[in-house]
Amino acid sequence: MAKNKTVYTCEECGYESSGWLGKCPSCGTWNSLVETVIQKKSAKSNNRAWLALDSVSDQHAVINLATIENDVQKRLCSDIEEMDRVLGGGFVRGSLVLLGGDPGVGKSTLLLQTLANLTAQYSTLYVSGEESPTQIKMRADRLQIAAKQIRMLTATDFASIAQALQKHKPDFAVIDSIQSIYVEEISAAPGSVSQVREATAGLLRIAKSFNITIVLVGHVTKEGGIAGPRVLEHMVDAVLYFEGEKTNQYRILRAVKNRFGTTNEVGMFEMTQSGLRSVDNPGTAMLEGRPLNVPGTTITSTLEGTRSILLEIQALLNPTDFAQPIRNTQGIDRLRLNMLLAILHKSCGISVAPYDAYVNVTGGMKIIETSADLAIIAAVVSSIQDKPIDSDLIILGELGLTGEVRMVTAIERRVLEGLRLGWKKFVVPAACKRSIKNISLPDACEIFYVSLLKEALDLLFS
Ligand code: TYD
Ligand code: MG
């Protein structure tokens, strides 16, 4: 008779305990332990046959590091430029990659397009636990890739997926999504911590044993992390996040972990009527259709990986009679705006109390860098005074509480990229003078150094 074992697993960190605890001793989260019953199968049962893969044994042979071939040729290039760029030149053979993102952001679309591109050269398999073959076909029609020979399987139980992978031994497989898969031996619901962990462990073994590149789609929790224990992120070779507002056409693919490349690169995509398209000119894509010579708008440069992207910041300051004016932001932190407005008042005497303030980063992008502080305040003052800022100007600088303009990181890269994209005028912190001296600037380039907010406003609006 098979015995069942009950363990309590922390949903945050994967810690296991034999009894229930209110607080996880490992990560300190309250009320995160859930009961999991593991059914121990009798010796005859063969349900975990994948654990005893024949090929596993010769993996343990001791080898010489010098004799290992370089992996350069072993990467599968999807020919989706931005995707390969984020991965460091394509998918490494036999790697396990986790792709997370909000529902509807375009994960399935991106992977179906990747599969379509890879199918010409490699054998592929698309495993869907969420959509029916007809739904997938409809998407493929929309992406105009329906004629491609993509093999697919709709299944949610781990054993049949493992079997299909071992039978077909594709070069590249997609599991959409890891949360929809269940391992029969574990009684918890699909998507629960123990299920996700067990299924990932099994897939990791298959990926390494058969040299199959497997991409797992992972759902994202309210807090923005990939649902499931953090150990999941440790198990896989690369963790990618697909970000973007559903209402906006731009999407960013970001690597937060990559064992085979840098995590510094981001890929930019545009969601179109017929799927995702790599953005050709990410540096200026966000400026499309920007108004020229109107008050309340200015340009700053933000760093995304090794790229610098130009963003337009818009501010609308509207007189209000209410005692509590509105402070509304999109793409920047509202608390940061409050602080910047306080600095503006204290150091330049410009009060925004009688105005509702709306500040927006266009294109649905988010700025987390403080390098945009000066540009935000410049747009605010431009709106209050109804004076446009020179639209050929890039404004950079962090604001300190005493009204000083502080240095920003990687100023050389931002200026050089701005120049490459056709901008010639820059307002930059005086503290960056030394860094800028190191780069050779064309004659037509004008750099204005400012050390105080007041000085910057005098320069912009005098
Ligand atoms: P999907 O790939 O299903 O998202 P996920 O797998 O991350 O949940 O993408 C769904 C969204 O993408 C949906 O709202 C419609 C939109 N979309 C397009 O705009 N164009 C397209 O060609 C496709 C296939 C989807
Ligand atoms: Mg999907």
Side-chain angles (χ1 to χ4, degrees):
M1 183 60 198
K3 268 192 193 162
N4 289 347
K5 184 183 164 205
T6 302
V7 290
Y8 293 84
T9 320
C10 171
E11 291 210 282
E12 282 296 317
C13 68
Y15 174 84
E16 281 184 1
S17 152
S18 55
W20 189 81
L21 299 164
K23 184 181 177 186
C24 171
S26 170
C27 67
T29 314
W30 286 94
N31 209 12
S32 62
L33 267 68
V34 290
E35 184 181 3
T36 312
V37 181
I38 299 173
Q39 290 171 11
K40 286 209 171 151
K41 292 283 170 181
S42 57
K44 274 187 228 154
S45 161
N46 198 22
N47 259 7
R48 281 194 163 192
W50 54 271
L51 272 175
L53 302 168
D54 296 341
S55 56
V56 175
S57 52
D58 39 280
Q59 281 222 331
H60 299 302
V62 175
I63 50 166
N64 189 338
L65 184 66
T67 62
I68 303 170
E69 280 175 55
N70 203 331
D71 80 334
V72 177
Q73 282 90 32
K74 292 192 177 167
R75 289 196 184 235
L76 316 182
C77 289
S78 66
D79 281 340
I80 299 178
E81 202 185 307
E82 298 291 287
M83 178 91 164
D84 292 340
R85 177 190 171 99
V86 172
L87 289 161
F91 293 92
V92 171
R93 268 190 193 268
S95 62
L96 188 64
V97 178
L98 182 62
L99 173 69
D102 286 330
V105 73
K107 302 181 291 298
S108 307
T109 309
L110 180 64
L111 290 174
L112 200 57
Q113 286 181 262
T114 308
L115 277 164
N117 278 12
L118 286 171
T119 303
Q121 270 193 56
Y122 305 102
S123 63
T124 56
L125 180 66
Y126 181 50
V127 181
S128 178
E130 298 192 337
E131 289 164 309
S132 69
T134 344
Q135 281 173 306
I136 298 165
K137 176 81 177 167
M138 276 161 59
R139 178 178 297 126
D141 278 337
R142 197 169 168 190
L143 302 173
Q144 293 155 6
I145 52 169
K148 304 264 179 172
Q149 307 291 318
I150 302 172
R151 277 187 301 194
M152 56 168 299
L153 166 76
T154 41
T156 50
D157 75 298
F158 180 76
S160 29
I161 295 169
Q163 228 169 30
L165 287 169
Q166 290 177 52
K167 185 170 163 219
H168 296 285
K169 297 196 182 58
D171 296 314
F172 182 83
V174 170
I175 315 286
D176 191 356
S177 67
I178 188 70
Q179 276 90 7
S180 65
I181 295 184
Y182 72 91
V183 180
E184 214 177 285
E185 287 78 5
I186 295 172
S187 69
S192 62
V193 57
S194 41
Q195 285 284 9
V196 167
R197 197 175 43 176
E198 192 74 7
T200 309
L203 289 166
L204 178 67
R205 219 176 157 86
I206 292 172
K208 302 295 170 198
S209 311
F210 295 99
N211 213 16
I212 306 174
T213 305
I214 302 181
V215 181
L216 310 174
V217 172
H219 288 183
V220 162
T221 58
K222 283 200 299 296
E223 291 78 30
I226 290 179
R230 284 221 84 82
V231 282
L232 198 67
E233 298 193 10
H234 296 301
M235 285 159 87
V236 298
D237 295 309
V239 181
L240 310 180
Y241 273 93
F242 204 32
E243 301 169 354
E245 298 292 326
K246 264 180 281 176
T247 48
N248 192 284
Q249 79 264 38
Y250 292 109
R251 306 278 187 274
I252 287 190
L253 184 67
R254 204 185 287 279
V256 291
K257 166 181 175 178
N258 190 357
R259 283 188 185 147
F260 310 111
T262 151
T263 50
N264 242 346
E265 291 296 353
V266 295
M268 287 191 65
F269 293 91
E270 191 179 356
M271 181 62 100
T272 66
Q273 280 303 312
S274 53
L276 290 154
R277 205 173 54 80
S278 296
V279 174
D280 308 326
N281 50 350
T284 51
M286 303 299 155
L287 302 185
E288 245 166 66
R290 81 183 164 113
L292 299 176
N293 298 318
V294 292
T297 158
T298 188
I299 308 291
T300 190
S301 150
T302 177
L303 285 185
E304 285 287 358
T306 55
R307 266 185 186 147
S308 109
I309 296 174
L310 299 187
L311 295 177
E312 181 191 353
I313 294 179
Q314 293 193 333
L316 175 64
L317 278 280
N318 199 35
T320 177
D321 293 329
F322 288 103
Q324 271 212 324
I326 295 171
R327 301 285 178 249
N328 206 339
T329 62
Q330 253 177 43
I332 63 163
D333 182 24
R334 200 160 57 91
L335 296 178
R336 182 103 198 151
L337 175 68
N338 286 341
M339 189 191 86
L340 297 177
L341 295 178
I343 297 172
L344 177 65
H345 186 201
K346 188 80 178 170
S347 61
C348 302
I350 301 175
S351 169
V352 287
Y355 297 95
D356 285 338
Y358 304 88
V359 178
N360 185 9
V361 182
T362 60
M365 296 285 292
K366 284 196 182 74
I367 298 185
I368 34 175
E369 283 187 286
T370 50
S371 64
D373 289 353
L374 185 58
I376 294 169
I377 286 303
V380 165
V381 176
S382 163
S383 179
I384 294 178
Q385 301 190 350
D386 214 21
K387 287 184 189 161
I389 298 171
D390 185 349
S391 47
D392 292 333
L393 205 59
I394 292 178
I395 302 182
L396 290 162
E398 175 184 329
L399 288 184
L401 290 181
T402 60
E404 82 276 19
V405 180
R406 305 179 69 101
M407 65 171 292
V408 297
T409 54
I411 189 82
E412 304 97 314
R413 206 177 329 147
R414 295 178 209 250
V415 170
L416 284 173
E417 187 70 4
L419 285 167
R420 197 181 65 79
L421 297 169
W423 264 256
K424 301 254 166 8
K425 294 186 204 169
F426 302 84
V427 174
V428 300
C432 292
K433 214 172 209 167
R434 236 189 13 209
S435 314
I436 291 187
K437 285 260 159 67
N438 291 336
I439 54 178
S440 64
L441 301 168
D443 291 343
C445 172
E446 283 182 80
I447 307 247
F448 304 96
Y449 295 101
V450 289
S451 49
L452 294 171
L453 174 60
K454 200 163 175 357
E455 224 178 280
L457 296 183
D458 286 346
L459 173 81
L460 293 170
F461 301 107
S462 58

